[in-house]
Amino acid sequence: QVHLVESGGGLVQAGGSLRLSCAASGSISTIHTMGWYRQAPGKQRELVAAITSGGSTNYADSVKGRFTISRDNVKNTVYLQMNSLKPEDTAVYYCNARDRYQLVRGWGQGTQVTVSS
């Protein structure tokens, strides 16, 4: 399995920015796709952004143009740059890793992002 640790969450005013980081360890050679998910209280966990080993990305429509996912393959770390934050972005953000068959190999513990009006 892959061990993932997130950091960078916090409290920010609407319109502000945060950058989340997720460091991977363990069976890192099995990782093909890394992604960021979020879950607000009482709501379903949803995909925010994902990136493959080759650098292909995809985003939820709600964050396109505001969030950017990237990865450092040397450091085995994935990042989520969040700009123009809205109160609706408030959630616990989780890092996820999948292998080349899209099987889940690990979940992070989550980091809280709170955006105030």
Side-chain angles (χ1 to χ4, degrees):
Q1 277 290 89
V2 176
H3 181 60
L4 302 168
V5 179
E6 303 102 329
S7 62
L11 174 65
V12 66
Q13 295 278 352
S17 298
L18 285 173
R19 189 176 77 157
L20 306 183
S21 299
C22 175
S25 61
S27 301
I28 57 174
S29 62
T30 68
I31 298 174
H32 179 261
T33 304
M34 297 188 73
W36 288 96
Y37 292 71
R38 67 186 181 187
Q39 188 166 26
K43 294 190 176 182
Q44 201 109 296
R45 186 174 298 187
E46 64 175 345
L47 175 69
V48 177
I51 186 168
T52 69
S53 296
S56 297
T57 60
N58 67 282
Y59 298 89
D61 288 341
S62 60
V63 307
K64 284 182 178 177
R66 300 189 297 121
F67 292 9
T68 302
I69 189 170
S70 62
R71 68 192 293 169
D72 185 330
N73 290 323
V74 175
K75 295 181 179 180
N76 300 126
T77 301
V78 65
Y79 305 92
L80 185 68
Q81 179 66 47
M82 305 185 293
N83 299 325
S84 302
L85 282 161
K86 305 175 180 179
E88 304 94 278
D89 296 318
T90 295
V92 177
Y93 284 70
Y94 298 90
C95 184
N96 159 272
R98 297 178 185 266
D99 62 20
R100 61 193 176 108
Y101 306 108
Q102 293 302 107
L103 297 176
V104 175
R105 292 301 184 187
W107 282 99
Q109 83 288 348
T111 185
Q112 176 70 231
V113 172
T114 302
V115 184
S116 62
S117 300

